[in-house]
Amino acid sequence: MTSLVLGFSNTGHDATAAVFADGRLIAAIAEERLARVKCLGGMVPQLAIDEVLRMAGATRRDVTRIGMMCGYFPENYVRHPSGSLQAQRAVRRFGRKLRGKAENVIWTGEVLREALARGMSYEQCFRSDVFLDQEGFRPETKVSFHSHHTVHAVLGGFYSGFDECLVITADGHGDLDEVHSTSRYRHGVLETLSVTDGKGRSPGLFYQTITELLGFRPVRHEGKVLGLAAFGDPAPLLGSFRRALRVAPCGTRFDSDFDHPLDAHEQRREFLAGAIEGHSRENVAAAAQQALEDAFVAIVRRQVADTGIGLVALNGGVAANVKLNQRIAALPEVERIFVFPGMSDTGNAIGAALLAIDAGSPGFLAAKQHALADVYHGPEFGEAAIAHELQAHQLDYQRLDEHALVERAAQAIHEGLVVGWFQGRMEFGPRALGNRSMVGRPTDAGINKSLNDRLERTEFMPFAPSALAERADEVFIGIDKAAHPAEFMTVTFDVREEWKARIPAVVHVDGTARPQLVRADRNPLYHALIKRYAELSGIPLVLNTSFNVHEEPIVCAPAEGIRALREDRIDALAIGPFWVDNPLRAGKQ
């Protein structure tokens, strides 16, 4: 009998599912890609669960184990240890009604805290029988729960490819307000070395607060703060910001001046709001970035010195900060780094499933640990389905073989057009990595404004390059220490001086770029496209940005890619074996 293990994450800003069959990852997808609502969370990911099972050729009745964490669940799935459930529900319903939230869903982190205080486990408070029955699983399906930062850490270690490494996780907050952990990962065994708890010391909430105070949306626009930081001077605010985030005297955890057990986060927010008055948003962003980097790097250096381990894996939402990752990789005592590509809670669906498998088959993590090969875990669409959608939208299209498709697309890019590249299985995680990408030439500095205008994105945000992996060292400095995570566009590098003027569209104001290194054995079609463009232009990379409009998820299905074409977001669409010119282009020429 096939062992079919499901994992899912259902935090406030993320709902994601993943499925393994006989220990092999079959599919993973975020609910937002199916529901078409960005950062969708706060629920059991119904669409994602059914989609990954469909890709596995299975149904909910076939699932043998489920791995999960604290999250948002219907109230009737949970019993409160105190027994005063009715009164607590009434209070929560009233609060949710005021905030416009769903009335029948609770955050079970509250339950975990109460259970531990009373000497109980989370499993004792979760009504697995009700969950399995109402969600359509078999009553004998095994359910296991795993702590938030343990899941983050296991993902980093398991997929790093390192026999032994330090794994450092950091985010807004996990279970019981844990905000950071450092662990030693060796042969499938995780040994915790240090932990930071308390929302007032959270590096993720610190950065989220700055994001909000600058007028952006927290847990969504932190990348904008990072992009803006390159334009500012950290010095005027850095001293104040170190009161809000710094390394603790012990050198192994984060600290701040704000540690009130009830409202530390609110106190810190009030302090930061006052501190930034009269300062430019560029300087605010620069100081926030510097404070985060300095504290995080100090922890890395101390833990590497204490353990003698120079291989470092990173995970958790803070690991989305690509400039921080570059600084860590540049440390002389760090040999190499790995960053798990689904570093937010999105990736925890995979991690929960891994731990559920290991719970049923002890030793699985040690036996199957490997370097992550790719993240093409989402749905793909056959030729007939794509053709049907093109016909339904009354578009003229050509069917081309792979060589002709690559030639047409490379020529179009070389001529200055933006091509929607929709191929194979959708990427898992936040980055478009050549299967749901918009591709253009990197030589045109003006494309930053023109394309951002078309996509309704912020003008100061840089675009990223997809580069031939075998030629990346010609263009970027320091590739060797972060070549693996660079396959997933999770770290920046300094661009060599002689290349900055040649590829201005993908070089940020600070002289860095965030490349995706494309290998022929990982994505042969996308590699062929970049290689052909290099033959035409002498440039071994293309501009790659995610195939989506601002504030929408990356496209998943053909209809969404076609809509981008019809709305004039792109000049042409290469979708499966079909080439489609923008029907509006002729009227503009």
Side-chain angles (χ1 to χ4, degrees):
M1 178 180 175
T2 298
S3 171
L4 198 69
V5 179
L6 174 72
F8 66 83
S9 171
N10 55 329
T11 55
H13 300 275
D14 173 79
T16 306
V19 67
F20 286 72
D22 292 332
R24 183 172 66 90
L25 178 59
I26 301 298
I29 191 171
E31 190 87 352
E32 66 160 28
R33 304 293 169 86
L34 302 169
R36 308 308 301 159
V37 178
K38 192 169 183 179
C39 295
L40 184 61
M43 66 188 72
V44 176
Q46 305 291 355
L47 296 176
I49 288 171
D50 288 337
E51 179 62 12
V52 295
L53 291 173
R54 182 197 66 79
M55 287 188 275
T59 70
R60 297 187 182 207
R61 304 295 294 180
D62 300 313
V63 174
T64 54
R65 301 190 74 93
I66 301 174
M68 61 180 80
M69 297 152 288
C70 287
Y72 283 89
F73 289 97
E75 288 185 351
N76 63 319
Y77 292 0
V78 180
R79 61 173 65 90
H80 278 253
S82 66
S84 58
L85 182 57
Q86 186 173 357
Q88 293 178 41
R89 281 179 173 174
V91 172
R92 281 196 302 274
R93 283 198 191 100
F94 179 72
R96 282 195 295 271
K97 188 173 182 180
L98 290 178
R99 298 189 301 272
K101 301 292 186 182
E103 293 188 11
N104 66 335
V105 176
I106 64 169
W107 166 247
T108 57
E110 304 167 8
V111 180
L112 174 64
R113 186 186 304 277
E114 191 175 352
L116 293 178
R118 294 173 178 273
M120 300 171 63
S121 69
Y122 183 51
E123 285 85 349
Q124 290 175 295
C125 300
F126 190 81
R127 301 173 67 187
S128 296
D129 55 340
V130 177
F131 164 79
L132 293 170
D133 177 63
Q134 295 196 8
E135 296 294 337
F137 298 101
R138 292 181 300 172
E140 61 268 29
T141 300
K142 303 294 183 183
V143 175
S144 57
F145 290 89
H146 309 280
S147 76
H148 188 95
H149 276 267
T150 297
V151 172
H152 275 320
V154 164
L155 276 168
F158 183 83
Y159 285 116
S160 67
F162 303 145
D163 290 336
E164 181 180 22
C165 64
L166 288 176
V167 187
I168 303 178
T169 73
D171 58 13
H173 66 93
D175 304 338
L176 306 178
D177 295 337
E178 189 173 305
V179 300
H180 143 260
S181 72
T182 301
S183 307
R184 184 199 309 261
Y185 188 89
R186 187 170 189 269
H187 297 163
V189 177
L190 195 68
E191 176 193 355
T192 302
L193 303 177
S194 67
V195 169
T196 306
D197 59 10
K199 292 182 180 179
R201 291 183 283 265
S202 166
L205 286 180
F206 166 77
Y207 215 84
Q208 288 173 30
T209 300
I210 296 298
T211 302
E212 178 190 4
L213 293 174
L214 288 176
F216 302 125
R217 296 186 65 173
V219 200
R220 185 176 301 191
H221 293 161
E222 281 71 21
K224 293 186 178 184
V225 178
L226 175 57
L228 196 60
F231 294 88
D233 176 7
L237 278 165
L238 189 56
S240 294
F241 278 16
R242 282 178 174 154
R243 291 188 57 195
L245 185 71
R246 60 180 179 269
V247 65
C250 64
T252 61
R253 59 178 179 84
F254 293 96
D255 203 357
S256 80
D257 288 355
F258 306 93
D259 59 359
H260 191 283
L262 297 179
D263 59 356
H265 173 54
E266 289 73 18
Q267 289 182 353
R268 184 166 68 167
R269 185 192 183 284
E270 184 177 351
F271 165 77
L272 289 170
I276 69 174
E277 287 185 5
H279 292 271
S280 71
R281 64 177 190 166
E282 291 82 3
N283 286 358
V284 172
Q289 180 65 25
Q290 188 72 49
L292 175 69
E293 289 183 18
D294 289 350
F296 206 118
V297 164
I299 290 173
V300 173
R301 301 193 80 158
R302 176 58 182 270
Q303 296 286 18
V304 170
D306 287 351
T307 63
I309 301 172
L311 300 171
V312 178
L314 305 168
N315 200 12
V318 174
N321 193 301
V322 291
K323 194 69 187 296
L324 166 65
N325 299 341
Q326 178 184 7
R327 189 169 169 194
I328 293 170
L331 292 172
E333 58 265 55
V334 170
E335 298 173 39
R336 280 179 291 152
I337 69 166
F338 172 71
V339 184
F340 184 72
M343 67 289 290
S344 70
D345 292 346
T346 298
N348 281 356
I350 297 176
L354 284 173
L355 286 166
I357 297 170
D358 198 64
S361 303
F364 168 82
L365 292 176
K368 299 298 183 180
Q369 179 177 331
H370 63 278
L372 185 66
D374 64 66
V375 291
Y376 303 118
H377 305 317
E380 61 182 331
F381 299 86
E383 183 175 331
I386 296 171
H388 174 79
E389 204 65 51
L390 292 169
Q391 292 161 11
H393 286 82
Q394 299 180 325
L395 289 169
D396 294 328
Y397 60 90
Q398 294 175 274
R399 189 193 186 284
L400 304 173
D401 62 30
E402 283 192 359
H403 175 79
L405 185 72
V406 165
E407 183 66 28
R408 178 71 68 86
Q411 290 283 353
I413 294 165
H414 188 45
E415 292 167 11
L417 303 184
V418 177
V419 176
W421 189 254
F422 186 114
Q423 302 294 332
R425 297 187 66 174
M426 187 187 68
E427 302 91 335
F428 178 78
R431 312 293 186 211
L433 298 172
N435 281 13
R436 300 292 187 275
S437 292
M438 295 181 182
V439 186
R441 67 183 180 188
T443 56
D444 179 11
I447 198 173
N448 292 75
K449 183 179 189 315
S450 62
L451 186 52
N452 273 323
D453 285 347
R454 291 174 81 174
L455 301 177
E456 302 173 28
R457 295 182 186 170
T458 307
E459 187 175 332
F460 61 79
M461 289 300 292
F463 290 117
S466 289
L468 298 174
E470 64 271 23
R471 295 187 59 185
D473 195 54
E474 299 175 27
V475 183
F476 309 106
I477 299 170
I479 287 291
D480 287 350
K481 294 176 73 173
H484 186 201
E487 293 179 32
F488 311 108
M489 206 181 280
T490 58
V491 60
T492 52
F493 299 90
D494 291 334
V495 178
R496 296 189 184 277
E497 197 62 39
E498 62 270 24
W499 277 96
K500 290 178 181 177
R502 298 183 67 183
I503 53 172
V506 295
V507 180
H508 199 28
V509 66
D510 61 359
T512 66
R514 185 193 67 198
Q516 172 200 3
L517 305 190
V518 183
R519 293 171 45 171
D521 60 335
R522 300 286 195 246
N523 194 331
L525 188 63
Y526 193 42
H527 185 276
L529 172 65
I530 303 169
K531 184 176 181 181
R532 180 57 186 142
Y533 173 75
E535 292 168 352
L536 294 170
S537 65
I539 308 292
L541 54 88
V542 295
L543 179 154
N544 168 20
T545 190
S546 57
F547 201 160
N548 69 300
V549 179
H550 185 51
E551 293 305 306
E552 288 188 2
I554 295 173
V555 302
C556 176
E560 295 143 19
I562 291 169
R563 182 167 69 90
L565 182 74
R566 296 182 68 90
E567 292 179 351
D568 198 30
R569 312 292 186 180
I570 51 178
D571 299 310
L573 176 62
I575 182 166
F578 303 110
W579 179 265
V580 193
D581 285 309
N582 186 335
L584 301 175
R585 268 187 64 209
K588 291 187 173 184
Q589 291 178 333

